[in-house]
Amino acid sequence: MTWILYIHILSACAWIGGSIVLFGLGVFIRDKATQEVVYGTIGPFYGYFETVWLLILISTGLALGEHFQLFSLMNSDTELGHYVVWKLVLVSLLSIATMVHLYIAFATHKTTRTLVQKFLSRGGSLAIFLLNLAILWVAINIRSAL
C-alpha cells in the first residue's frame, strides 16, 4: 500500500504544481497576445497531462481511503470523519470545476471566447487554484489526525 501513497503524493505534486504554474502565468502575463500564444501552445498538452494526474490522484485517493477504512468514518462524529467528508466534497467540487474549465478550453481552442466562456474559464481556474489549496490543507489535517 505504501507505493499507492507515493503515487498519490506524486500525482498531487504534479496536479497542484501544474495548476499553480498556469494560474501564475494567467496572473503575470498581462499582454493578451502573449497569453494567447502561451496558452495556445501549452494548453492542450497541459489539459491532457493534468487530466491524467487528476484521474490517478482520485483513483489512488479512493484506494487509500478504502484500505485505511476512512470512508467508514464519514458518519462518525469525529474530527477525522469530518475531514474525510470535507475532502470528498472539495474533490467533487474540484472535479466539476476542472470538467467545466477543460470543456470550455477544448471547445474554444484557437477561437474567440464569449464573455460567459471567459468568465467560466477564468472562474474555473480560480476555483481550481483555491480548491487545491483547501484540499491540501484538509489532507494535512487528515494526516495529522491519523
Side-chain angles (χ1 to χ4, degrees), residues 94-144:
L94 174 73
S95 298
I96 292 167
T98 300
M99 286 187 278
V100 168
H101 181 75
L102 286 176
Y103 175 78
I104 292 170
F106 285 123
T108 62
H109 184 64
K110 296 194 178 192
T111 63
T112 303
R113 293 180 180 171
T114 67
L115 187 60
V116 171
Q117 290 169 332
K118 284 180 187 177
F119 176 78
L120 289 174
S121 179
R122 291 180 182 164
S125 291
L126 179 59
I128 291 166
F129 177 74
L130 295 174
L131 287 166
N132 279 334
L133 297 178
I135 291 167
L136 183 58
W137 181 82
V138 171
I140 290 167
N141 282 288
I142 287 172
R143 177 61 187 103
S144 295

Side-chain angles (χ1 to χ4, degrees), residues 86-99:
W86 269 109
K87 188 164 183 187
L88 289 175
V89 168
L90 292 170
V91 168
S92 297
L93 292 172
L94 174 73
S95 298
I96 292 167
T98 300
M99 286 187 278

Side-chain angles (χ1 to χ4, degrees), residues 31-61:
D31 179 54
K32 296 298 179 193
T34 305
Q35 279 183 351
E36 288 179 23
V37 170
V38 170
Y39 284 113
T41 303
I42 65 172
F45 166 77
Y46 179 79
Y48 293 119
F49 175 82
E50 288 297 293
T51 300
V52 169
W53 283 115
L54 182 59
L55 292 173
I56 293 170
L57 190 56
I58 291 171
S59 300
T60 56

Side-chain angles (χ1 to χ4, degrees), residues 70 72-86 145:
L70 296 176
S72 64
L73 298 172
M74 289 178 14
N75 293 328
S76 68
D77 192 25
T78 63
E79 181 182 38
L80 187 56
H82 293 294
Y83 283 132
V84 171
V85 170
W86 269 109

